[in-house]
Amino acid sequence: MGLFASAKAVVIDAWSWLNYKPLYSDQLGMPNRRAFPEAHATWVPAADERRLAAYKMLKAYDGNQVAELTAFRDGDEARERREFGDPSMFVDTITSHVLGEEQTITVPGAEKAGDGGGPDAETAEKVQTLLREWADEELLPMRLLQVERKAVSLGDGVYLLHWDGDKQRVRLKTFDPGFYFPIIDEDSDGSDFPDRIHFAWELPEDKARRLPARLRRITYHLDWIRPQTANGVDRTSRPVRATVMSDPTDDQPAQPILGRGDTLDPNGSITRLYPWSEQPSYKTCYLTDAIWELGDLKAPIDIDSLPMDKAHFATNSQGEILDQLDLYQDFVPVIHVPNTVPEPGEHWGQSSLAKVLQVFDELSGSDTDSSRASATTGSPILAISGKAVNGQTQYTAGPGMVFTLGEGGAITSVETSGNLAELRNHVHDLKDRAATTARLPAVALGTSDPAQFTSGYQLELALGPLDSLISGMRLARDHADRLLPKMVQRLFQAGQHPDWAGLPVLPAKLMRGAYTPTDKAAVLAEVKDAREAGLISLETAIRRLQEIGWPIEDAEEEIKRIDARSFEDARNLADALGNPKEVASFLGRKAPDEPEAPAVVLPPAGLNPGQEDLEEAHPNGSGEGGGNT
């Protein structure tokens, strides 16, 4: 029994790559309570304890603070370990590559607007323009960088979208995944979108305002449509939302009132037709924002079972109490961004640092040893032998110092520079090992010699591991890149913004630019040959040049400028169609006005052609001398 009681539990889950650290996984496979008190809070579900501890550990690697956490277990000596920012450098590099040089929202079909694409192309162009204007106002590139850095370093990132009635636009927020608590059904395979999501974090005690430690929870819940509610109070005068009832009559008691646009189906269920749907829906999303005092939370509870009678609900800018407020939308406006494609049955991604943490630990140890060795190299160890002079037994070494030794005296220096060189070589080997494991070649890190690549093909081969890495990471983000502009369109329509009135919700995607250095000359020659051979269109050629970093901001406008100077193509078009208006439209110009043809005057009936002129010259049928002609 004693043997089995002392055996360590082996936990294999999405976070087991951290099991090698005793600080993270104790005898029962749980994180150290002193180092990770947040993970052991009473309201944190047991299934999320290892996840929250893993986030804190990864954040410590990113911020050069692993020694601070390790000191909880190994004592103050752990703080002497050196950390020189290698994990942070890896995170920044991978983040820049997965983002690409630029990010653009595109709507398929918008490129055909003004080129015979019809009304559908014009609508697509309008939606694309509105989405791009929103992206500029909402600082989308900065929000993307915030989420992507969280996803790369921690394994997960989270977007939250909501309609702002004051600013009259959709707002985009980013959340730390440590605040994100989705309620995933047991039957889900991990990829299903959760119907209930919590954002929760603790608020520290505020003695100046006499506020105790509290817990704030924001909940988005997709549920059945219920009758209309309004601000009210409960029996304890606490602000809540209450059901709106009709006035009672002699024939009928008070009845719940339906919300705007809601109808009852034959089964008694409430349905609603949303602007982006052709079929009525039975679901809507409810928002709850509440605060609990930590002293009121007694076990057993977790984030999904907090006592609602102890909650204090917040109020939005329109004065509405956020107690299951109906948002009039049939989706949860939260997007989870996993860093990698989750394993079957899993919801969470994996940090890009996960597979190289042990290498970083070795690197930190080697850096610490190198730092100590450099001290002995700069201030060498001296051994003095022989008879002391005047009884002196202590010496202080320094530049320009002269020692007087007695008979048979000698000074011996211990040479440690060789050890320092070996340690530095070991550090370089560990960095190469970390880069290889993380699939970051030296050319991607900027540490390779450019002279070793004599052609674009050699560069492409060297970037092979990075290509496979970024390809998998962008695949994990593909759904989020499509879902973001889709939700933005729906929220603008739910907010009844006039610019979006009558517009459909079109498929759009957030496109990420190139991430690797490219042999631009080789690509240009390739595009030129394919274009001249008629194998690709001008649109494809322009798009390919954009991908390699050519300064082309708008492909449609660039094509119009090219067509406006393509006089040879315009001449061929005129020969083929014989229509000046088509040719002028191709050149982006106005067709010249054609002069009207002179009216045709027909001769009088009965006269032969040409006889009319003779009659005018000789009306009497005689010549100038009066004789017959």
Side-chain angles (χ1 to χ4, degrees), residues 2-25:
L3 174 63
F4 288 100
S6 62
K8 181 177 180 179
V10 178
V11 179
I12 299 179
D13 57 7
W15 321 103
S16 55
W17 40 267
L18 263 174
N19 284 349
Y20 79 96
K21 298 186 80 68
L23 181 70
Y24 178 78
S25 184

Side-chain angles (χ1 to χ4, degrees), residues 44-60:
V44 173
D48 292 297
E49 291 182 4
R50 285 169 56 83
R51 176 174 69 92
L52 298 186
Y55 288 158
K56 186 172 183 178
M57 179 67 74
L58 290 167
K59 188 65 177 177

Side-chain angles (χ1 to χ4, degrees), residues 118-168:
D120 291 341
E122 297 293 337
T123 302
E125 184 186 36
K126 184 176 181 180
V127 171
Q128 178 176 273
T129 301
L130 290 174
L131 285 173
R132 291 180 176 180
E133 290 176 353
W134 167 82
D136 290 338
E137 293 178 353
E138 200 56 26
L139 305 177
L140 180 60
M142 184 185 71
R143 306 297 182 194
L144 290 173
L145 179 59
Q146 292 174 342
V147 166
E148 289 298 347
R149 205 179 190 289
K150 291 290 186 183
V152 171
S153 60
L154 305 182
D156 302 282
V158 183
Y159 294 111
L160 170 64
L161 298 104
H162 68 95
W163 174 255
D164 190 327
D166 295 334
K167 294 185 178 295
Q168 285 294 296

Side-chain angles (χ1 to χ4, degrees), residues 130 163 167-169 491-502:
L130 290 174
W163 174 255
K167 294 185 178 295
Q168 285 294 296
R169 75 166 186 263
L491 288 174
F492 266 112
Q493 292 184 359
Q496 300 180 356
H497 194 282
D499 292 345
W500 292 82

Side-chain angles (χ1 to χ4, degrees), residues 102-112 120-121 123-136 140 144 478 480-489 500 504-513 539 542-543 546-547 552-556:
E102 60 181 8
Q103 304 82 42
T104 308
I105 297 178
T106 61
V107 178
E111 69 278 0
K112 299 179 182 178
D120 291 341
T123 302
E125 184 186 36
K126 184 176 181 180
V127 171
Q128 178 176 273
T129 301
L130 290 174
L131 285 173
R132 291 180 176 180
E133 290 176 353
W134 167 82
D136 290 338
L140 180 60
L144 290 173
D478 183 74
D481 290 346
R482 299 176 187 272
L483 197 58
L484 177 63
K486 180 180 180 181
M487 286 188 178
V488 171
Q489 295 178 72
W500 292 82
V505 175
L506 298 179
K509 186 177 181 181
L510 177 68
M511 303 298 295
R512 301 166 184 260
E539 290 81 1
I542 293 295
R543 191 178 303 113
Q546 279 184 309
E547 291 174 354
I552 301 175
E553 297 181 359
D554 192 318
E556 292 83 5

